[in-house]
Amino acid sequence: GLPYNGMPQGISAVGTDLNGATLPGYFTYSYAIFDQSSYYPTVTPLPGAPVDASGYNYYIYYVGTATFTSLDLNYTTGISSVDYIITPAFVNVNINGGPFAYNGSSQGATVSVVGIDGVTPVSGAANIYYFNPNGGYTTNAPSQPGSYTVLAEFSSYDPNYANSSQVYGTEVITAATPAFSNLASPAVNFGTSTVTLSGHIAAGSVAPTGDDVAITLNGVTQPAAIGAGGSFSTTFSIAGLSTGTY
């Protein structure tokens, strides 16, 4: 069969004499689609050479008829027909796997499917799977930083395009880089026994909850647990410190 290319695909013929030499004359071509997929076969004439795919089965196919009008009086008009199919074209499946910045939520790869021109989308349904390190594949998109193997399968709704075979790609989720904000710079009176230092750390809406921030005051370092919203604080003893900036 001929692969679908979006253009009319017809037949061609050559008229020859008994010695194989080309005869003077001209051809006219006609086309029809023959459908014998049901109990009663049908033949439907076409206005010109077919464009659309007829499929892979041979129950539906195109019939091209060439009629030759000879300009050599020693030869009469000749007619010949040929059956052929136009097979669905292959789609181009592209997997977009980022990289995506970690945001605490599941982040899935996306799939775009285009036709033979590399631009026009092809209608259909894409299934995306992620390799499970414990074996097999899962449809659950990853959420943690890392590199993941992605498998995509595409079922075409367009009869001119075939379903895709399995296409592999990679998704990458990069670690978020948090930043400090709202850092406290308290001023306290001489003789005060304690001071609390606090701040906020996050990467957008994501905070490294459960981790610690190390805060150093006058050479003394203390851990400050990061809360759910990214806030942290710790209290230092400052008894005995003289006036000044620390």
Side-chain angles (χ1 to χ4, degrees):
L2 305 173
Y4 170 77
N5 64 8
M7 303 292 291
Q9 300 193 76
I11 61 173
S12 61
V14 176
T16 58
D17 63 14
L18 295 175
N19 297 314
T22 301
L23 283 170
Y26 58 89
F27 281 95
T28 56
Y29 299 97
S30 61
Y31 300 91
I33 184 167
F34 187 84
D35 185 346
Q36 57 180 4
S37 59
S38 61
Y39 185 77
Y40 297 102
T42 61
V43 178
T44 304
L46 298 174
V51 175
D52 293 333
S54 54
Y56 288 108
N57 69 76
Y58 287 84
Y59 293 105
I60 302 175
Y61 54 86
Y62 295 115
V63 179
T65 301
T67 302
F68 178 70
T69 301
S70 175
L71 298 180
D72 185 331
L73 297 180
N74 293 314
Y75 292 88
T76 61
T77 297
I79 298 177
S80 181
S81 296
V82 64
D83 303 337
Y84 65 102
I85 63 172
I86 298 177
T87 58
F90 295 109
V91 294
N92 297 302
V93 179
N94 302 299
I95 298 175
N96 175 21
F100 307 116
Y102 171 74
N103 64 7
S105 301
S106 297
Q107 300 188 80
T110 58
V111 170
S112 62
V113 181
V114 295
I116 54 177
D117 61 0
V119 176
T120 305
V122 177
S123 62
N127 294 318
I128 303 176
Y129 305 93
Y130 305 90
F131 178 70
N132 187 337
N134 296 323
Y137 284 83
T138 177
T139 57
N140 298 323
S143 61
Q144 297 300 310
S147 179
Y148 302 89
T149 299
V150 181
L151 166 64
E153 296 176 330
F154 178 76
S155 297
S156 174
Y157 296 159
D158 187 331
N160 288 320
Y161 289 94
N163 298 333
S164 77
S165 57
Q166 295 179 337
V167 178
Y168 291 88
T170 302
E171 177 180 344
V172 174
I173 299 178
T174 58
T177 302
F180 288 105
S181 63
N182 300 327
L183 298 178
S185 298
V188 296
N189 294 324
F190 175 74
T192 302
S193 61
T194 62
V195 65
T196 298
L197 300 181
S198 62
H200 184 270
I201 185 171
S205 60
V206 180
T209 303
D211 290 342
D212 291 334
V213 171
I215 303 177
T216 300
L217 174 63
N218 196 36
V220 177
T221 300
Q222 295 183 181
I226 302 171
S231 296
F232 58 86
S233 65
T234 188
T235 300
F236 286 86
S237 172
I238 57 173
L241 288 182
S242 60
T243 58
T245 301
Y246 296 90

